[in-house]
Amino acid sequence: MSLEQIAQLLQQRMGLDASTVGLGVVEHAVLQRMTRQRLDTTEAYLLQLQQDAEELQQLIEEVVVPETWFFRDLHPFQALAQSLENELQRRPLRLLSLPCSTGEEAYTLAMTLLDAGLEDGDFHIDGIDISQRNLAAARTARYRPNAFRGDQLGFRERYFNAIGGIYELDPRVRRTVHFECANLLETDLGTGRDPYDVIFCRNLLIYFDRPTRERALDVLDSLLHDDGLLFLGHAEANALQGRPFQPLPQPRCFGFRRLADRPSPREPQPVARPLDWTPSSRLRRPRPAAPALATAAALSQPEPPAETAPSLEQRLAEIEGMADQGALEDAAAACEALLQTEGPVARAFYLLGLIRHASNHIEAADALLRKALYLDPDYCPAISQLALLCERQGKAAEAGRLRQRLARCLERHPEPSS
Ligand SMILES: C[S@@+](CC[C@H](N)C(=O)[O-])C[C@H]1O[C@@H](n2cnc3c(N)ncnc32)[C@H](O)[C@@H]1O
């Protein structure tokens, strides 16, 4: 019982919904801290947590997921650079990376702006995170090879010095970022702060339940300039449903512009589509295609009737047809366009995974199928395909577990939704 209470305490304080990482992660962290504190029972540890804010911070340090790397997903940074040409004209430009973890995202913002021709005095970047440990690492600006992933690493040559297997960031970049320890769920985070033109809040909302996500979005909204840009993680973009944000036109950047003139409650609410959090929502109702960047006035026009746009199911069936006929690249492009306009859809990730598998892009296929299953854990075709892929990668144990999961799933859903 105490373990659940500790998980609740963590959720109240930092938002973490233990079910997103597994209660085992919390349990492991608690055991680590109990050993350090020489405590034998979770009851005694819970008591200490309730009385000692510093111990709660230490537990938070144990449970946070610090995973990050430079230029994590290129699209948002490309979209940011493109936005400098038109909407982002204020100087100095104010940017926020929250959560910034060990600093890679905040420094990536700086490199993006410098590469786009801005001078270091033209912008100000804050990096905020709840973890003191991550921030201490961020401030050293020294990175191991694991912080650099993918094959577009030209920036490493331009902005880092390699010394004995460690990459040290150029002080010119380092100086542009200011780090601060704070909690996204603090409602007064914006007090005394100038608003930000751009906020990156990626890969944190996925660890929150829906009410906590809403609280976090309220705080982000209070930090953002009236017409600022908000970038979320790829699985988080649809959390903005019902809020006055307009998707940026660049595909797969998961960036949104806040609409300065908010429509009144009587007017139709723009943009964001709901996240497919539940298995039953694997196929959404038909929706008209998303408008390109639009003014609030345009948004107050009635939406076109749904019949004018092909339904999601029709679009997915069309993509399947293309793939069946061997037009794999066209099918992949159509799938990506669909994900851009509709947000995360399990079946679209599955199809794209299938296409990537067929064209031998194993790592990409693996990631896409896992995304499909993240959105819809009971999506049998994706489980089956991932099992095949694991076998192909020599991961026999995982393939076996997936087959067992498939069997359980088929029992629960005798008619698979392929
Ligand atoms: C997976 S990292 C994301 C880093 C970066 N945004 C990215 O996408 O690569 C998640 C970070 O969120 C931080 N975090 C967790 N809860 C938080 C909260 N309530 N407020 C601020 N930061 C938090 C963790 O310390 C961790 O560094």
Side-chain angles (χ1 to χ4, degrees), residues 10 64 101 156-157 205 239 278 284:
L10 280 173
V64 293
S101 189
R156 194 169 63 183
E157 313 309 318
L205 302 182
T278 56
R284 282 200 216 97

Side-chain angles (χ1 to χ4, degrees), residues 136-163:
R139 289 187 183 104
T140 67
R142 302 174 83 236
Y143 291 95
R144 295 183 184 283
N146 195 33
F148 305 89
R149 304 188 194 174
D151 47 15
Q152 299 192 36
L153 296 178
F155 69 91
R156 194 169 63 183
E157 313 309 318
R158 292 197 299 280
Y159 293 111
F160 289 82
N161 257 338
I163 302 168

Side-chain angles (χ1 to χ4, degrees), residues 10 13-16 56-57 60-61 63-65 98-101 127-135 180-186 204 208:
L10 280 173
R13 167 77 184 140
M14 64 177 294
L16 176 72
L56 184 53
Q57 179 66 28
I60 288 173
E61 299 288 348
V63 293
V64 293
V65 180
L98 193 181
C100 63
S101 189
I128 294 183
D129 201 279
I130 202 170
S131 162
Q132 295 277 16
R133 198 184 290 168
N134 290 349
L135 289 166
E180 180 184 335
C181 189
N183 182 346
L184 171 57
L185 300 177
E186 284 164 16
L204 174 55
F208 293 170

Side-chain angles (χ1 to χ4, degrees), residues 71 75-95 108-125 159 196-200 227-229 231 248-250 253 257 293:
F71 287 95
H75 299 92
F77 302 103
Q78 287 165 346
L80 171 64
Q82 285 163 8
S83 303
L84 293 170
E85 289 163 18
N86 34 55
E87 54 252 90
L88 293 176
Q89 297 290 341
R90 257 186 299 270
R91 298 291 178 269
L93 200 61
R94 286 178 51 77
L95 299 96
T108 300
L109 292 174
M111 289 185 275
T112 301
L113 299 182
L114 293 170
D115 281 346
L118 269 66
E119 297 292 328
D120 47 12
D122 290 337
F123 58 91
H124 172 104
I125 301 174
Y159 293 111
Y196 292 97
D197 299 289
V198 178
I199 298 181
F200 270 59
D227 56 355
L229 303 186
F231 288 85
L248 295 183
Q250 291 88 349
C253 73
R257 187 156 69 91
L293 275 180

Side-chain angles (χ1 to χ4, degrees), residues 30-48:
V30 166
L31 289 175
Q32 299 266 89
R33 290 307 307 163
M34 282 171 56
T35 311
R36 288 296 286 267
Q37 295 293 328
R38 299 171 197 276
L39 291 171
D40 295 332
T41 65
T42 47
E43 287 75 14
Y45 186 63
L46 174 62
L47 207 61
Q48 173 155 4

